[in-house]
Amino acid sequence: MQKIRYPEEQMHRIAYTKLTQRQISDKLVAAATGPASVSPLSDVYAGTSLEIVTDAGPRLRYTFGDANRLAVAENGGAAVETGYGALTLDHVAFFSHMVPGTQRGYHVVVDQATGLATVFEVWFSGYMDNREVQREIYFGYVAEPGKEAPQARHTLTNRVEGKGFYWKQDTGIETLELYPSTIYSNFVELTRFGGELSFCGPSDYVKINDDLYVYSRVECEFSGMMTLYVLDANRVEQVGVRLGFDQNDALEYYVFRGSGEWLGQIAQFERFGDVGVTVVPVMGPSGNAAPAVKGARRVYRPLKTNPIMTKPEVEAAIAANTAVFGTPSAMAGNKLPASDFLVRRALTLRFDNGPIVDYTFDEIEKLRWRREGERTWREERYEAWESAPGVIMFAHLLSGAPEHDSFTIVADFEHGLATCLHGTMGTPYMANEAAAKTWFGVIETEGLTAPKYRRHHYTDELVGRAVTWNYSPGLTSMHLYSTPHSLSWIIFGESGAGGMEWSGPASYVKIRDDLYLAYWLEEACNGTLGMILINMRTMHDSGVGYHCGTDGLRLSAMGAHARHAGRFDLTRFYTLKA
Amino acid sequence: MKTKTASTRRRFFWQAGAAALSAPLAASGAHATQRDAEDTEALKARIATLEDVNAIRELHQTYTRLINAGAREEAASLFADPREAQIDASIRNLSADRFGEQDVIEIAADRKTAAARIHCTVELEIAIGPSCTLVEMARVQGEGFLKQSERRVIESSYVKQDGVWKIARSVYR
């Protein structure tokens, strides 16, 4: 019996149906009875009335019947009946309902201790992909006759930034959810998608008090599903809602209760005293700051900025322009100096699961190579860096190879070991998307006897770590090594708050203690294969980017200074258990 | 702001006015009448020059305000030929009203052209490049620029068109 349910395709490979507005309306008919729930619904409001006033938003007058039916009047309009589901978490009541006959609904959070409320108005068909849930957040309070409106409000916050939790819903669904940003988050679907990769979605963080927060995310560029919950950071409990359409276009609309484990806290980089009441400003559809647009938020849509190319387009672009360690990119501002360690050396790299390759290094940027048994040498431009004493990373293209292959090799001359990341251009999904294979092997050269059995090996020692990388002035990101097979990268906002985030498949190889070779693939994105040798002692890396776009093929250097930003306790969730 | 002269011709013009104003008043008769007339002309010329200086200063301040507001097209309209307006795209802010001893506005004797050297601080946003994934993401986030401040000198020449001063050319050194 298979213990882990892996999907046929991971989330970024699923061709989600472009649902029409009509299809969505038809599917939402089922929501009129309210959200499903495994846990018993709360009757906290049964038989009562509630009026919520929001700032610059709707005034909602509720009349609750039993624990499943309510009538809602928006802005003094006629009341309409609909199903709802409510759950409580300590002194916070949460309920969700749709508005019949529309594609809109509300997720409402009421702090019964303070009378303050946060209302998420949600709707479909508000973006070119109709299935993507849109939201607008309103802050307000529960109006009580004869009582003055409170001055305080719930607020957007950065106080959740850096936290991470394991959650298990009452549905049995398990996730790891990491919040390294103030506007994005990571989620690892342990149950739904087998926990191989982490994904990212634009997110909201609202502070109720120092323990309690509201979190929401929308799986933009994927299913468009919304997950929203109130979380208690101390007790590690949650109540919330899922709303949207899954990969089979089935409506998911349920409220849930969950509990979990705190996974740690990584660093924040805002100034001391900045609690993020105003987080990274939202953006309008034009890309300019436009807070007046309802539902506006910053969303990274990689395939909008990185067009998918056909194979002929790729071939033409590469024929027109192939740059090997040409003009340094912004990612190379802090690269290590080129090393002459290899110059005048001759060696053979013998990979167990790959080719046997002879090398002669003539100059600091010129090498010759041939496969075992070949007579003819081929000349290539290369660059090499000595990341640690005796550990050389070098890379070159295989000119004329049908898949525009690249070799990026880490050779440890003190231990006789070598690992090659074999990059090729083109996957079954995109012609301008790189793929990578890892070959482990040994160095054969004069004066060096290679080990027979020992090899570099895959590792999970980096999993959970967050490391910032400053590539050049003004260009800093943070890596979050979120699973043994994926890597997320986060861009900082001007205040130092975590901003946009995205994620891709990755792999980690241990070269030596505190020295790791990592690669990540920007799949369904710009197709780049990034390869870095991370030295956790010097907190500096050396690396190579392998990329094909409309501007041709590039093999380019990377290099950045690092800061350790902390670590989440994640590794135990990725081991295969008996 | 102080106005100074640099060329002999302009110095002559400017100093002629100043000399006239500073001439002793103890004169008499025909000489006195002639001198009064000369004084009046010199005073008129000096006032006219000061008006030109003020007009150019206002033109510069308007230009600065428009640049700071990101209104590049409007800023270009201040040029005699807007097509010749070469406004550095990386400039996000010019410090206005920080004129000091070293700033110079020179009015030509015929009051049809002028030149200025004005020291300022410019705040620059230089696009980080060449592009890569991180830069693309930063752009979407409204960033991806290297921000820095620099002390610069704006060297401008001006021309009067239909009685209105226009910028002929403006260069940041």
Side-chain angles (χ1 to χ4, degrees):
Chain A
M1 186 70 175
Q2 185 169 347
K3 279 183 174 274
I4 299 174
R5 194 180 62 179
Y6 296 105
E8 290 293 323
E9 291 281 18
Q10 281 291 342
M11 201 176 289
H12 64 301
R13 297 303 198 189
I14 296 172
Y16 291 95
T17 312
K18 300 295 180 194
L19 294 172
T20 65
Q21 291 189 34
R22 177 60 183 270
Q23 286 174 313
I24 287 174
S25 292
D26 289 346
K27 289 172 184 291
L28 285 176
V29 169
T33 57
S37 180
V38 170
S39 295
L41 291 173
S42 168
D43 60 359
V44 60
Y45 288 124
T48 69
S49 294
L50 185 70
E51 185 170 16
I52 294 174
V53 178
T54 64
D55 302 332
R59 188 180 187 99
L60 301 170
R61 186 188 298 272
Y62 288 102
T63 305
F64 295 90
D66 57 18
N68 186 240
R69 299 294 294 173
L70 62 72
V72 58
E74 297 175 274
N75 301 315
V80 291
E81 278 200 26
T82 188
Y84 81 102
L87 293 170
T88 60
L89 186 65
D90 198 19
H91 51 83
V92 172
F94 166 76
F95 62 93
S96 171
H97 66 88
M98 298 299 287
V99 178
T102 76
Q103 295 189 6
R104 296 187 299 112
Y106 292 100
H107 306 318
V108 181
V109 176
V110 177
D111 182 345
Q112 296 176 290
T114 62
L116 300 182
T118 295
V119 174
F120 280 72
E121 183 180 359
V122 295
W123 64 96
F124 293 91
S125 302
Y127 172 65
M128 60 175 68
D129 191 356
N130 293 320
R131 66 187 301 148
E132 183 179 296
V133 175
Q134 307 296 303
R135 62 87 185 95
E136 182 67 36
I137 310 170
Y138 302 107
F139 299 112
Y141 60 93
V142 175
E144 294 184 52
K147 194 172 171 183
E148 265 191 35
Q151 295 297 308
R153 293 290 184 271
H154 297 158
T155 59
L156 294 175
T157 186
N158 67 3
R159 296 293 297 154
V160 184
E161 185 185 21
K163 292 178 171 53
F165 294 97
Y166 156 77
W167 293 113
K168 184 169 186 177
Q169 294 180 2
D170 51 12
T171 57
I173 298 289
E174 294 174 89
T175 56
L176 301 175
E177 308 204 5
L178 313 172
Y179 320 116
S181 161
T182 56
I183 59 170
Y184 257 75
S185 61
N186 272 73
F187 54 102
V188 180
E189 294 280 3
L190 296 173
T191 309
R192 293 187 185 94
F193 282 85
E196 288 188 279
L197 304 180
S198 75
F199 294 93
C200 306
S203 305
D204 303 303
Y205 302 94
V206 175
K207 182 179 177 181
I208 298 174
N209 61 33
D210 218 40
D211 294 340
L212 294 159
Y213 300 89
V214 185
Y215 159 81
S216 86
R217 72 163 178 270
V218 175
E219 294 171 20
C220 294
E221 300 298 280
F222 305 125
S223 68
M225 183 82 68
M226 173 180 240
T227 302
L228 179 150
Y229 51 82
V230 180
L231 73 91
D232 183 325
N234 265 318
R235 298 175 184 83
V236 195
E237 293 173 346
Q238 59 175 185
V239 293
V241 63
R242 287 266 292 184
L243 173 65
F245 301 99
D246 67 14
Q247 63 266 39
N248 300 313
D249 303 330
L251 174 68
E252 266 192 38
Y253 185 36
Y254 67 85
V255 291
F256 60 86
R257 182 178 289 286
S259 60
E261 294 177 38
W262 179 78
L263 300 176
Q265 171 77 46
I266 62 170
Q268 293 179 271
F269 293 93
E270 296 92 330
R271 283 174 182 269
F272 290 106
D274 179 353
V275 292
V277 173
T278 302
V279 294
V280 181
V282 297
M283 301 291 278
S286 66
N288 296 319
V293 177
K294 186 177 176 181
R297 71 188 319 169
R298 290 177 188 264
V299 182
Y300 183 49
R301 302 189 186 279
L303 289 179
K304 295 281 187 297
T305 49
N306 300 286
I308 297 174
M309 298 168 69
T310 63
K311 180 74 172 165
E313 287 172 337
V314 164
E315 294 303 324
I318 292 175
N321 189 15
T322 294
V324 180
F325 301 114
T327 306
S329 83
M331 305 280 281
N334 290 322
K335 80 180 184 74
L336 288 173
S339 168
D340 62 359
F341 184 97
L342 297 171
V343 176
R344 291 181 294 280
R345 287 179 189 256
L347 52 93
T348 296
L349 299 182
R350 186 176 295 275
F351 297 108
D352 302 339
N353 52 338
I356 298 161
V357 186
D358 297 329
Y359 280 101
T360 298
F361 299 88
D362 300 312
E363 298 172 17
I364 195 166
E365 290 183 341
K366 191 172 87 179
L367 62 75
R368 285 175 293 142
W369 70 278
R370 65 184 180 191
R371 288 191 178 84
E372 186 185 47
E374 290 179 338
R375 287 189 165 187
T376 308
W377 291 91
R378 301 153 206 236
E379 190 176 297
E380 307 287 357
R381 181 183 171 90
Y382 81 103
E383 195 163 324
W385 309 276
E386 187 169 7
S387 297
V391 179
I392 307 299
M393 181 186 216
F394 70 98
H396 62 91
L397 281 186
L398 279 60
S399 298
E403 293 183 296
H404 312 288
D405 306 36
S406 67
F407 283 173
T408 298
I409 292 164
V410 173
D412 182 346
F413 285 83
E414 290 186 1
H415 297 95
L417 295 172
T419 296
C420 177
L421 299 178
H422 175 213
T424 49
M425 192 51 64
T427 68
Y429 303 92
M430 285 170 61
N432 56 321
E433 184 177 79
K437 286 194 173 122
T438 305
W439 297 331
F440 298 110
V442 295
I443 306 168
E444 295 177 348
T445 192
E446 189 178 343
L448 182 64
T449 303
K452 300 288 185 299
Y453 304 101
R454 176 174 278 162
R455 296 292 183 267
H456 295 152
H457 52 86
Y458 293 114
T459 182
D460 61 7
E461 289 181 12
L462 285 179
V463 171
R465 282 187 190 273
V467 177
T468 64
W469 294 105
N470 175 245
Y471 298 94
S472 55
L475 189 63
T476 306
S477 72
M478 182 165 71
H479 282 174
L480 175 56
Y481 306 115
S482 45
T483 83
H485 309 290
S486 62
L487 179 155
S488 299
W489 55 95
I490 299 107
I491 288 284
F492 292 102
E494 199 164 354
S495 68
M500 297 280 204
E501 183 179 10
W502 205 243
S503 189
S507 172
Y508 305 95
V509 171
K510 182 168 183 173
I511 302 299
R512 288 183 183 171
D513 285 347
D514 309 313
L515 190 64
Y516 304 96
L517 173 62
Y519 80 70
W520 71 94
L521 288 160
E522 301 185 8
E523 288 184 353
C525 183
N526 78 358
T528 295
L529 166 61
M531 298 161 278
I532 54 174
L533 185 56
I534 302 169
N535 188 327
M536 295 294 288
R537 293 185 183 175
T538 63
M539 296 303 277
H540 203 155
D541 70 352
S542 53
V544 177
Y546 173 63
H547 169 80
C548 179
T550 52
D551 56 349
L553 183 69
R554 285 202 309 265
L555 191 70
S556 52
M558 290 194 284
H561 298 133
R563 291 185 191 177
H564 193 211
R567 183 172 202 169
F568 292 115
D569 174 18
L570 302 179
T571 312
R572 60 201 160 101
F573 295 97
Y574 302 122
T575 56
L576 298 179
K577 297 175 178 67
Chain B
M1 184 196 316
K2 288 200 172 184
T3 55
K4 296 182 178 178
T5 58
S7 73
T8 303
R9 189 178 176 209
R10 287 169 188 145
R11 178 172 290 120
F12 169 78
F13 171 80
W14 187 251
Q15 289 182 339
L21 285 176
S22 61
L25 297 174
S28 61
H31 283 104
T33 304
Q34 186 180 347
R35 184 162 298 165
D36 284 349
E38 287 173 0
D39 286 350
T40 302
E41 286 307 308
L43 192 58
K44 283 181 181 174
R46 189 181 180 202
I47 289 169
T49 301
L50 287 172
E51 285 174 349
D52 286 334
V53 167
N54 282 338
I56 286 172
R57 186 176 59 190
E58 283 179 21
L59 175 62
H60 175 77
Q61 288 175 336
T62 302
Y63 174 76
T64 299
R65 276 196 299 274
L66 292 171
I67 293 292
N68 293 350
R72 302 286 164 129
E73 283 188 21
E74 289 88 336
S77 73
L78 302 178
F79 281 69
D81 182 353
R83 294 169 301 181
E84 295 296 312
Q86 292 180 344
I87 301 169
D88 187 339
S90 66
I91 293 176
R92 285 291 166 274
N93 196 72
L94 287 170
S95 65
D97 304 318
R98 289 195 62 189
F99 303 108
E101 291 289 328
Q102 67 276 41
D103 296 321
V104 178
I105 295 179
E106 302 169 337
I107 308 296
D110 61 5
R111 295 183 51 222
K112 289 181 180 172
T113 61
R117 294 184 80 249
I118 297 171
H119 291 69
C120 63
T121 300
V122 294
E123 291 176 21
L124 302 166
E125 277 189 0
I126 301 164
I128 297 170
S131 191
C132 59
T133 309
L134 292 183
V135 172
E136 286 167 7
M137 287 180 78
R139 293 267 196 280
V140 175
Q141 198 168 280
E143 291 153 9
F145 297 93
L146 184 59
K147 297 181 179 177
Q148 59 190 53
S149 290
E150 290 180 4
R151 290 288 296 155
R152 295 275 189 96
V153 177
I154 305 176
E155 291 183 356
S156 305
S157 57
Y158 302 88
V159 60
K160 199 180 269 182
Q161 283 183 342
D162 301 326
V164 177
W165 284 104
K166 292 279 190 177
I167 303 167
R169 187 166 165 272
S170 190
V171 179
Y172 298 83
R173 305 281 186 201

